[in-house]
Amino acid sequence: MNLLDTVGNTPLLQFPLDEGTIWGKAEFLNPGGSVKDRPVAWILKVAMTNKKLKLGDTIIEATSGNMGISLAMFCANLGFKCIIVMPSNMSIERKIMLKSFGAELIEVDAGDFDGAIALRDKLANKNNYFNFNQFHNPLNTESHWFTTGMEICKDLPYNTTPDAFVAGTGTGGTIMGAGRFIKNMYSNCKLVALEPAESPVMSGGEPGLHGIQGIGDGSKFLVSLKDIDRIEIVSTQEAIDKSKILAKEWGIFVGFSAAANYLVAERLIKEGYATNVVTMLCDRGERYFSCL
């Protein structure tokens, strides 16, 4: 039984507003519950095809949670060992899920993604582990070009032209892959990157602690700012509040980064910047209970 082949082809949900429409890619319906299933499955397939991974090998990654959960799940399914390096301020649900899949969890100081990446690299080099390297791996972006972006363009109704694509940036793989694919198909579509108000790195500010887990990891990583048309910021509290509203008003219980994406999409429509906005509903809300 191979879970790799169950990733993707998630629905594109329609949220009609008075001034326009939000189209949300329901990534919480992936087997691991998040958009990160896509790059994990893609990178694993390439590595196995190229004989860089064999049964029993150890894979190590630094992550804020969803990439780690997905990787731990696939490692358990495929017969690899998994080590996850994570800042200590990530939700307890994330940590429990990682351990439930049999992964070894190593925690570093709160918000210290640079430290997590450095420790991952050190352990990978010392022990000859497979370094997943999501923050600098071009296959991350490639996975979203060939899956997420293509699916969105296929699923948009005939005569519906997206004016903007909104994505929070953690690694930047989603907006650089899916976003650029959509813009390649619809040249007038604007790419709107989202980051936490408490860590506005792309806006020229300093990295800081925030609660929108999965984005704003302290660096631009794979993001090419010359390809970004607009940068928006959302505070942690705004994202939490919108997550609760989406659950109560739409029956869609998603995490804080997904709620932030929706909030920015809504903002763009109400401002008159766009009429049809595509965005990512990145993960399930259950992994945030302890943070609500």
Side-chain angles (χ1 to χ4, degrees), residues 96-134:
I96 291 171
M97 290 183 73
L98 288 168
K99 293 177 181 178
S100 296
F101 286 123
E104 177 185 346
L105 176 60
I106 301 173
E107 296 185 54
V108 299
D109 291 341
D112 187 12
F113 283 97
D114 288 339
I117 292 169
L119 181 56
R120 176 202 65 189
D121 293 344
K122 178 182 177 181
L123 292 173
N125 291 333
K126 179 181 178 181
N127 299 288
N128 199 31
Y129 297 149
F130 182 87
N131 190 337
F132 215 69
N133 194 24
Q134 61 165 320

Side-chain angles (χ1 to χ4, degrees), residues 175-197:
I175 198 164
M176 290 292 97
R180 286 197 291 197
F181 184 93
I182 296 168
K183 188 154 190 164
N184 187 60
M185 300 296 291
Y186 301 93
S187 59
N188 291 326
C189 182
K190 304 297 185 183
L191 300 188
V192 181
L194 161 66
E195 61 183 350

